[in-house]
Amino acid sequence: DFFIAHRAQDDQQTLASKLVFGRIAGTWITVFSRRYNAPDGRFAGVVTAAVPAAYFRGLLSGLRLGPHGIALIRDQDMAMIARWPVLDSPAGAIGSRGGSQELSDIIASGVQAQSFYSRRTADGVTRINAYRRLERMPAFVVLGWGEKDYLAQGHEDVRKAMLLFWQYGQKKLQPALPMEKVLEPGKKW
């Protein structure tokens, strides 16, 4: 497909394929291609680079999304290109097709970017996610933040507030305690 596209139009664009299984490399790859012109400007061929899916996984592995976070790249047919952290199940395998209903709905809508909440995930972790369709590759990226991770700060804030309230109450009640010893039983003030 990319050979025909490059031959038909000299638009100086790099094209990217969907995820394919490279028979020579024996692994999943994405092929990037660019038109090559002869010195007189005529079409002279195509230059290609096969990038293994593991390269994309390496890029994602540098993101810090918390212990329950996720980063993934899928092609437009929902085939998994890369996922971090790696999920040791069929749903996490490179080339597997799938995704939550919420993600499927977003892709069907054609939007460029959107956030969404997903309760039913392949690894059972509830997350809030950010979706972004890539411009120069027939793929999209999803970054997810685990519910336990983003609620942890709120829980910590509530714990600190309760501790401060308790300490405040202790300090306010302390001056009243010695006064009870001073007061005579039955005496009205």
Side-chain angles (χ1 to χ4, degrees):
D1 292 338
F2 57 84
F3 185 87
I4 294 168
H6 286 302
R7 185 176 61 189
Q9 186 172 0
D10 186 8
D11 57 6
Q12 302 294 314
Q13 294 293 316
T14 300
L15 299 179
S17 72
K18 293 180 182 177
L19 185 69
V20 295
F21 190 79
R23 294 180 301 220
I24 295 171
T27 189
W28 290 99
I29 60 171
T30 298
V31 179
F32 291 87
S33 64
R34 190 164 178 108
R35 179 182 168 124
Y36 179 74
N37 289 334
D40 65 1
R42 289 181 300 119
F43 177 73
V46 175
V47 177
T48 63
V51 179
Y55 172 78
F56 297 105
R57 185 178 62 236
L59 292 176
L60 297 178
S61 71
L63 299 174
R64 300 193 194 302
L65 299 168
H68 302 95
I70 184 176
L72 61 85
I73 303 173
R74 288 187 181 272
D75 71 17
Q76 290 176 337
D77 293 333
M78 300 279 284
M80 181 77 71
I81 296 173
R83 183 188 195 281
W84 187 260
V86 173
L87 179 61
D88 191 23
S89 77
I94 303 302
S96 68
R97 297 191 192 295
S100 68
Q101 184 61 51
E102 297 86 358
L103 181 57
S104 296
D105 293 344
I106 289 169
I107 293 166
S109 76
V111 297
Q112 181 73 25
Q114 186 169 332
S115 61
F116 65 100
Y117 179 80
S118 189
R119 186 175 298 274
R120 299 184 66 194
T121 61
D123 58 4
V125 177
T126 302
R127 293 186 181 91
I128 189 163
N129 304 281
Y131 159 89
R132 174 109 182 144
R133 189 166 27 102
L134 301 175
E135 291 181 22
R136 298 193 182 257
M137 186 175 167
F140 60 87
V141 175
V142 173
L143 302 178
W145 198 15
E147 188 174 62
K148 289 180 181 178
D149 300 334
Y150 66 80
L151 290 179
Q153 184 62 50
H155 292 160
E156 180 63 13
D157 291 348
V158 167
R159 188 188 71 73
K160 286 178 182 177
M162 290 178 71
L163 181 61
L164 285 172
F165 180 73
W166 181 79
Q167 288 175 338
Y168 175 77
Q170 290 296 314
K171 291 198 183 285
K172 284 295 189 184
L173 292 176
Q174 267 182 345
L177 293 176
M179 291 296 290
E180 288 179 356
K181 293 180 181 177
V182 175
L183 296 178
E184 296 176 22
K187 188 173 182 181
K188 294 185 180 183
W189 291 86

